[in-house]
Amino acid sequence: MTDAAPGKVYLVGSGPGDPDLLTVKAKRLLEEADVVLHDKLPGPEIIGMIPEEKREDVGKRAGGEWTPQEYTNARLVELAEEGNTVVRLKGGDSMVFGRGGEELAHLAENGIPVEIVPGITSAIAGPEAAGIPVTHRDYTSSVSFVTGHEDPTKDESAVDWEALAATGGTLVVLMGVGKLPQYTEALRETGMDPDTPVALVERATWPDQQVATGTLDSIVSVRDEADIEPPAITVIGEVAGERERVVEFLEGY
């Protein structure tokens, strides 16, 4: 490390993918940054706004591998120590299942100035774009956000599906397309009604957004028939049935 003062890192949430949903501050920082480290989740339109010479993809790489988090952490420190203004761009909000907390702690431990720029979390914006309110006074006054893709090094899941089902509220599962059979079965085993409405929202607010609806009992088949793939959000609860009431008049995405 040189004797010069380090640069600064901004942990920026890009929202669900529509460039119009970037915050004013996020857009300004993308224009001013020396380097932008991103993965695929911000979406092609937002990534395309960044000049190619100053963006680095730290997401999926050739051969289906993913950039290790340790590399991203180290690269953020390295770039800042060189005096750069660095944007770490993430989909949604960087602190909602985005590993933003890990990067924040690593930067602080290495003496790097860091600022958090909140983004619109996909956990709420995804359902909204499909016409689904995550809370509704006729059905539920609570909502739980759950990851469907936990750290594979964990010995066992930290998600208590029985406790979540007992709340009676809306469940929003991020990164849960692949594990859909496992957690829908777990919820049925807790006694949740198999006819509970479920919605899958793929690529929310992107030009190729796709929505598929079913029930706790049928949603796996619905997923397969509709060919729903990541990134997608699962909404479980009575609110998921609201889409059918409004979809004829729903505009935007």
Side-chain angles (χ1 to χ4, degrees):
M1 180 175 177
T2 66
D3 293 332
K8 183 174 179 178
V9 174
Y10 294 88
L11 301 178
V12 178
S14 66
D18 182 347
D20 286 345
L21 296 179
L22 276 170
T23 64
V24 173
K25 188 168 189 176
K27 186 175 185 297
R28 174 175 61 80
L29 289 172
L30 289 178
E31 294 169 350
E32 296 176 354
D34 298 309
V35 187
V36 179
L37 270 62
H38 68 88
D39 50 35
K40 298 294 192 295
L41 289 178
E45 290 189 275
I46 291 177
I47 294 171
M49 295 167 57
I50 307 164
E52 188 171 353
E53 65 272 12
K54 71 175 187 180
R55 68 184 193 232
E56 294 186 18
D57 188 345
V58 291
K60 195 170 185 178
R61 298 180 296 173
E65 296 182 354
W66 291 83
T67 303
Q69 184 63 44
E70 294 75 14
Y71 171 85
T72 302
N73 290 349
R75 185 63 175 148
L76 288 170
V77 171
E78 178 184 32
L79 288 167
E81 288 181 341
E82 293 172 355
N84 293 293
T85 297
V86 185
V87 165
R88 173 66 173 108
L89 187 69
K90 298 173 178 286
D93 182 277
S94 60
M95 297 294 163
V96 182
F97 302 129
R99 295 192 174 182
E102 298 174 42
E103 294 171 357
L104 174 63
H106 185 80
L107 290 164
E109 289 168 1
N110 285 273
I112 303 299
V114 58
E115 183 175 336
I116 301 165
V117 181
I120 300 173
T121 175
S122 302
I124 295 174
E128 283 181 342
I132 300 170
V134 294
T135 62
H136 192 298
R137 67 178 183 171
D138 290 342
Y139 305 122
T140 179
S141 57
S142 68
V143 57
S144 300
F145 301 124
V146 187
T147 176
H149 184 73
E150 295 185 271
D151 185 342
T153 64
K154 286 182 178 179
D155 292 332
E156 59 184 43
S157 174
V159 179
D160 187 337
W161 294 105
E162 184 174 5
L164 288 169
T167 68
T170 304
L171 301 181
V172 178
V173 186
L174 285 78
M175 303 173 288
V177 175
K179 296 291 183 65
L180 185 66
Q182 289 92 323
Y183 61 80
T184 51
E185 180 181 4
L187 290 168
R188 290 196 303 270
E189 289 178 350
T190 69
M192 183 177 281
D193 188 343
D195 291 329
T196 300
V198 180
L200 298 171
V201 187
E202 177 186 343
R203 301 177 186 273
T205 79
W206 295 22
D208 54 350
Q209 172 181 300
Q210 183 178 196
V211 182
T213 58
T215 65
L216 196 63
D217 203 35
S218 69
I219 196 63
V220 174
S221 296
V222 169
R223 176 201 66 179
D224 296 342
E225 291 171 7
D227 196 25
I228 298 292
E229 297 181 346
I233 291 168
T234 309
V235 187
I236 303 170
E238 293 302 322
V239 294
E242 282 295 287
R243 173 177 166 80
E244 298 308 315
R245 297 177 56 183
V246 303
V247 66
E248 182 180 351
F249 303 97
L250 189 64
E251 298 181 357
Y253 301 104

